[in-house]
Amino acid sequence: MSGRVCASVFQRVYCLRISVHASSQCLQRAHFLLNHSTRHDQQCHFSSRIKETDQTLFSRRKLKIIFLWKHSFSTRQDLDFQLSQVQINSLLRSNEQSVSVPEFDGRDLSSVRKFESNQVAANNPNEDRRSAATCLQSKGMLFGVFDGHGGWPCAQAVSERLLYYIAVAMMSKQSLEELECCMEQGKAVPPILQWHKHHSDYNYRESASLYIEHLRVFWQELLDSEEHGDGMSPLDALDRAFKRLDSDISLEAQVPLSNSLMKSTAIQVAFAGCTACVAHVGPDSIHVANSGDCRAVLGVQEDDGSWSALPLSWDHNTQNPAEVERIKAQHPQSERDTVLIDDRLLGILMPLRAFGDVRFKWSLELQQSIISSLESTVDLDSLNLYNYVPPNYLSPPYLDVTPEITHHKLRPQDRFLILATDGLWDELSSQEAVRFVGEHLSGIHMQAPVTNSERRMKLGKLHELLLKRRARASPALDTNVATHLIRQALGKGDYGELCQEKLASILSLPEDLARMYRDDITATVVLLNSDLARPRRS
């Protein structure tokens, strides 16, 4: 993959028309990209993030930038690394979403006042997905963010299906019986979810019948359980739904399917993978289920007006010592040095929990059997499948989807919930994200008092302090708080200020370079009705 990317980049670069004299503008642009840590007049730097590439690819990228530095191009073919403010806004706002939630839905007061969401892609197509829906047969709302890898198919399928599994698990036996009765009689089935979709959201329509069939099998099993009664708690429903959907994804890739398009989709979904973070926001509490390295953070407003971040999930990667020990404990002592290599599972996969990714779950025999059965009928390259075996694949499975679930009882100071894929958290800490959102919502930018030591600063340091304080008070450019958050993540300068030069440069990178510097970003901000958590007066 890296070789093909490099070849494409160099072919494009060397096909450009070279003029005799290097323009100073082109020299400045290339110098800016090559020396990404050099300070500019705006006191900001271009934060280079090399994603899933090796040192060879990085070296070739530098050669490409040197080439740009030494030559200028015709106006038509110049790689323009600068965007206007209008272009930046158009790119950042094209996928934004804002949904106000009725205070009373006919059953209960809603603990969600509003939610706003946005996505900015680095991959083409975007491998992130998002979901939001109101539970119609039980209480609460569901929000999810999904980060695909090895392509987008798994994230797409999980974003369509997981919320249904959770909602069905929370439904009472009586409601499930009504569903089953309607299915048997061919009547319209009562709606389970009210979806809140963006106009660009895509669905696997060809696989809808298969998805409904397996969802029905799931609720039939719940009906056969004597313990189901009034439905599962959100905690149990989240756990059961994650595991059951992953099991169905694995099964669908193994069973014969008469529809070739449906079969291809099932194979792509299973061999690709995705991480998921889903929140159920109920009348008085939040449950978060996380599998992978997406993240959920609660924004809390303290008595003095300041903002603090309360984590509701933990990243499942090698930066989490408990997760590292969990993975190693599942395999023989002889594999302790090979199960995790270079901060990746078997040296390949960064997240340590995920949907799909059957190449890390199935036995070698099953993998070979499925791939061999496809080779005569399907072009494996077109499905993004490659006949390889992960190194040191000795005691599968190495990966599972079991979510880590947290519960939080809502309080008056809990103001919003941020759900985001790791592309955002690569750029911002949880505390920074909460502060950006909180100050955007309140319009108040808290400044810490100047300390005695700061009063005695030399002029240079004092200037630096003033720049930092000015950055805290900069006005917001977006009404959508998720867009504001993403803008700050991509354009944050040395002192926390919004650096337009950095933002313009990173958004204008060609598709084959963008993924080297940043990841897809999806963020959903759920604004909570904190008044519901206040004590009632008699």
Side-chain angles (χ1 to χ4, degrees), residues 383-404:
L383 298 184
N384 199 27
L385 292 181
Y386 306 97
N387 198 358
Y388 77 93
V389 177
N392 303 300
Y393 199 77
L394 305 173
S395 57
Y398 286 88
L399 186 70
D400 66 67
V401 78
T402 303
E404 190 171 16

Side-chain angles (χ1 to χ4, degrees), residues 183-200:
M183 290 290 287
E184 289 178 350
Q185 298 177 8
K187 296 181 180 179
V189 176
I192 298 171
L193 294 171
Q194 177 189 346
W195 286 91
H196 306 290
K197 290 184 176 290
H198 188 263
H199 62 81
S200 65

Side-chain angles (χ1 to χ4, degrees), residues 499-512:
C499 178
Q500 293 293 344
E501 182 178 356
K502 175 185 175 183
L503 185 61
S505 296
I506 203 165
L507 286 176
S508 60
L509 285 171
E511 291 175 358
D512 44 9

Side-chain angles (χ1 to χ4, degrees), residues 123-195:
N123 291 292
N124 185 22
N126 188 356
E127 295 183 349
D128 279 3
R129 294 295 185 271
R130 57 185 170 178
S131 296
T134 301
C135 298
L136 297 178
Q137 304 294 331
S138 57
K139 297 179 180 180
M141 294 186 69
L142 290 164
F143 301 92
V145 292
F146 312 93
D147 189 350
H149 48 263
W152 53 267
C154 189
Q156 176 63 44
V158 174
S159 70
E160 290 181 42
R161 304 176 68 182
L162 182 58
L163 270 56
Y164 274 120
Y165 280 67
I166 298 167
V168 162
M170 291 191 294
M171 289 171 60
S172 68
K173 180 169 284 190
Q174 181 179 350
S175 297
L176 293 177
E177 287 173 346
E178 185 179 356
L179 288 183
E180 182 61 21
C181 182
C182 290
M183 290 290 287
E184 289 178 350
Q185 298 177 8
K187 296 181 180 179
V189 176
I192 298 171
L193 294 171
Q194 177 189 346
W195 286 91

